[in-house]
């Protein structure tokens, strides 16, 4: 933990919307006057606004839908929303800016955990970890069988990374160790040194056409929402694999489920979904899906780091400095 702050007359009041790791809550209690959520209940926008009465800050998470209405319902006292996440698509940042509310996030600290989960999705989908585990649990495993069911090798396959930011690059580094050939599309092309031999594609469509395995690693923005749809899935090679550890709404569920049923997409590995935790029911019945419940950042080390990063943002803000991780509309 960083040094204790000098005692002052009154500590900033922070509404903490979810139960956070113990070390993070300890630092919160030491440096702030927090209103914690011991029971880890999910609050409606109305309840959130009521709990935010007289608060200086809201420490939010991805489960808080802070749209314009929710932001506008917050009391005048709230001056900063620090989200315990790198993604901030759950916050209407423009509405916050209009209210003069600063928004911060936690980039960098969950890169490796999320890249690890992405590799788990790739391997899990390619090697049939979903149906394999189900055979054990449901006692349907008869014996070792030479002819099937079978998965597919990842070695030598073209991995198409949609979104080559920190996480995309960390996925590429891991995939190289598995002998995959890296392709990517990103708004901005990386430097030659940053590419490390990866093949750049100027459009998502060009990337899809070259992706035996497609990994979605971009942020959810108006430009990327629904980008994996019937039209773009049709561009993939037959029997491609699709994985998503970014955000559910980048993928059109109906289109992916249809492609999984037809065999156009051989398997999918998903960690994020539209409407979490009530995911599209079509995924559950498919044996060629490997499904995780949004575990990308779910390690003790990473969740602590996310909490400390959110607190660093609050510390800077209440010290009258620019927070290290502001997000802008
Ligand atoms: C984030 O930080 O945006 C992640 O989705 C949480 O795991």
């Amino acid at each position: 933990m960083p040094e204790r702050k000098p005692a002052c007359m009154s500590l900033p009041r922070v509404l903490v919307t979810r139960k956070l790791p113990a070390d993070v809550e300890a630092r919160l209690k030491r440096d702030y006057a927090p209103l914690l959520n011991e029971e880890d209940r999910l609050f409606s926008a109305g309840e959130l606004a009521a709990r935010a009465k007289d608060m200086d800050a809201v420490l939010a998470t991805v489960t808080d839908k802070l749209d314009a209405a929710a932001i506008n319902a917050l009391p005048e006292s709230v001056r900063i929303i620090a989200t315990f996440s790198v993604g901030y698509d759950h916050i209407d940042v423009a509405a916050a800016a209009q209210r003069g509310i600063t928004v911060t996030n936690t980039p960098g600290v969950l890169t490796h955990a999320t890249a690890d989960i992405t590799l788990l999705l790739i391997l899990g989908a390619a090697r049939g970890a979903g149906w394999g585990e189900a055979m054990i649990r449901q006692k349907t495993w008869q014996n070792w069988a030479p002819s099937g069911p079978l998965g597919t090798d990842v070695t030598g396959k073209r991995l198409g990374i949609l979104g080559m930011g920190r996480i995309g690059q960390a996925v590429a580094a891991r995939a190289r160790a598995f002998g995959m050939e890296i392709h990517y599309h990103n708004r901005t092309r990386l430097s030659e040194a940053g590419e490390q031999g990866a093949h750049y594609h100027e459009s998502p469509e060009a990337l899809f056409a070259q992706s035996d395995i497609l990994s979605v690693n971009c942020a959810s923005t108006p430009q990327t929402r629904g980008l994996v749809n019937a039209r773009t899935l049709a561009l993939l090679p037959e029997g491609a694999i699709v994985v998503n550890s970014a955000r559910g709404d980048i993928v059109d569920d109906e289109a992916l489920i249809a492609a999984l049923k037809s065999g156009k997409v051989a398997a999918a590995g998903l960690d994020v979904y539209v409407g979490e935790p009530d995911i599209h029911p079509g995924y559950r019945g498919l044996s060629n899906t490997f499904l995780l419940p949004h575990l990308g950042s779910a390690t003790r080390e990473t969740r602590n780091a996310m909490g400390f990063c959110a607190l660093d943002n609050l510390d800077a803000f209440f010290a009258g400095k620019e927070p290290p991780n502001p997000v802008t509309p």
Side-chain angles (χ1 to χ4, degrees):
M1 252 193 239
E3 292 277 288
R4 176 186 292 272
K5 286 192 208 160
C8 57
M9 291 285 287
S10 69
L11 296 171
R13 290 150 301 182
V14 181
L15 170 63
V16 185
T17 66
R18 297 295 304 274
K19 178 145 192 66
L20 300 182
D23 290 349
V24 178
E25 291 197 346
R27 187 170 142 188
L28 260 163
K29 285 182 195 157
R30 189 195 66 184
D31 294 342
Y32 294 93
L35 176 56
L36 299 176
N37 181 357
E38 301 287 0
E39 292 165 13
D40 203 20
R41 269 186 53 212
L42 282 182
F43 294 111
S44 67
E47 287 173 308
L48 211 76
R51 286 174 74 82
K53 186 171 182 296
D54 296 332
M55 294 288 150
D56 300 298
V58 177
L59 204 170
T61 77
V62 292
T63 54
D64 301 304
K65 300 290 165 250
L66 294 170
D67 57 13
I71 300 262
N72 290 329
L74 290 174
E76 288 292 320
S77 57
V78 172
R79 291 185 291 137
I80 177 168
I81 298 169
T83 185
F84 180 100
S85 61
V86 62
Y88 50 89
D89 49 302
H90 54 295
I91 303 173
D92 188 328
V93 179
Q98 278 220 321
R99 284 275 315 267
I101 298 175
T102 297
V103 179
T104 63
N105 70 340
T106 64
V109 294
L110 41 71
T111 302
H112 295 295
T114 309
D116 289 347
I117 276 285
T118 308
L119 264 291
L120 180 60
L121 294 175
I122 292 172
L123 293 170
R127 299 302 302 275
W131 52 255
E133 212 209 13
M135 283 165 84
I136 301 270
R137 290 188 189 277
Q138 293 159 14
K139 296 194 177 168
T140 56
W141 184 29
Q142 306 282 325
N143 50 46
W144 183 91
S147 61
L150 301 176
T152 183
D153 280 343
V154 298
T155 305
K157 296 284 158 55
R158 296 167 296 176
L159 172 65
I161 300 179
L162 184 64
M164 197 63 148
R166 289 185 189 86
I167 296 171
Q169 290 177 52
V171 169
R174 286 157 174 73
R176 283 187 189 99
F178 282 86
M180 290 184 241
E181 183 181 295
I182 312 300
H183 292 247
Y184 77 100
H185 169 73
N186 199 46
R187 270 176 312 176
T188 320
R189 185 172 181 166
L190 301 185
S191 66
E192 206 179 324
E195 279 184 346
Q196 296 186 45
H199 304 271
Y200 174 66
H201 297 271
E202 280 189 355
S203 66
E205 287 80 1
L207 175 73
F208 279 51
Q210 298 296 320
S211 299
D212 300 313
I213 301 168
L214 177 74
S215 176
V216 179
N217 294 108
C218 54
S220 168
T221 66
Q223 290 72 40
T224 63
R225 269 168 224 144
L227 189 52
V228 181
N229 55 40
R231 180 184 66 82
T232 52
L233 285 169
L235 301 171
L236 290 169
E238 284 301 308
I241 287 169
V242 174
V243 306
N244 185 7
S245 59
R247 282 291 183 269
D249 60 5
I250 299 165
V251 174
D252 175 335
D253 288 332
E254 294 285 347
L256 180 57
I257 289 165
L260 283 161
K261 283 184 175 162
S262 73
K264 171 72 192 177
V265 170
L270 305 175
D271 186 47
V272 287
Y273 311 85
V274 170
E276 295 173 14
D278 298 318
I279 71 169
H280 192 301
Y283 288 123
R284 297 185 208 267
L286 291 173
S287 62
N288 53 350
T289 53
F290 175 60
L291 307 174
L292 296 176
H294 203 148
L295 295 182
S297 63
T299 68
R300 277 184 291 280
E301 298 87 341
T302 297
R303 289 285 164 85
N304 272 339
M306 290 165 74
F308 297 146
C309 182
L311 292 181
D312 290 345
N313 284 317
L314 290 179
D315 291 352
F317 180 83
F318 288 111
K321 299 183 195 143
E322 173 75 355
N325 310 111
V327 296
T328 47

